[in-house]
Amino acid sequence: MFFDEKGILNIDEFIVNNESFKKIMEDGIVTKEEIKAQSEKVVALLHDMEKKYSEAQLVEIKELLVESGVLYAVYNFYSIQSLNLNK
């Protein structure tokens, strides 16, 4: 479900095939309104999850979200750092 046949996380494929992503990217421009709407969608999903899942499950979900956020942040930092080093 999460990994391809080589054991690599398929997140990029999941994102580009996601309807929200397709809709936001269809004109090639990301607006503040689209970011706000996507943020509201994520918050609504999290509120729904709080109602559906046990405390233990929510702890695991939180850990996944935090670690994914850390990966995203350090990858962006690395990319900026790499651009600065190549000047």
Side-chain angles (χ1 to χ4, degrees):
M1 175 180 200
F2 296 114
F3 302 96
D4 67 14
E5 63 280 348
K6 295 178 184 177
I8 297 172
L9 183 62
N10 267 342
I11 195 72
D12 292 338
E13 184 180 334
F14 297 151
I15 291 168
V16 298
N17 290 317
N18 176 276
E19 289 305 315
S20 296
F21 183 79
K22 289 179 188 179
K23 182 177 181 220
I24 292 168
M25 298 306 297
E26 68 187 353
D27 63 359
I29 298 169
V30 179
T31 66
K32 287 181 183 180
E33 293 79 17
E34 289 168 327
I35 292 172
K36 184 176 185 292
Q38 184 64 22
S39 176
E40 290 169 354
K41 182 175 185 173
V42 170
V43 168
L45 287 168
L46 289 170
H47 282 298
D48 287 345
M49 293 171 88
E50 284 183 319
K51 296 173 189 168
K52 291 180 186 177
Y53 299 110
S54 70
E55 189 66 29
Q57 290 169 317
L58 290 170
V59 168
E60 288 185 29
I61 292 166
K62 180 181 174 184
E63 182 178 2
L64 174 61
L65 288 170
V66 170
E67 294 298 339
S68 296
V70 169
L71 176 58
Y72 177 79
V74 296
Y75 180 80
N76 283 320
F77 184 81
Y78 175 80
S79 297
I80 293 167
Q81 174 183 288
S82 296
L83 288 173
N84 289 334
L85 293 175
N86 291 326
K87 286 184 178 181

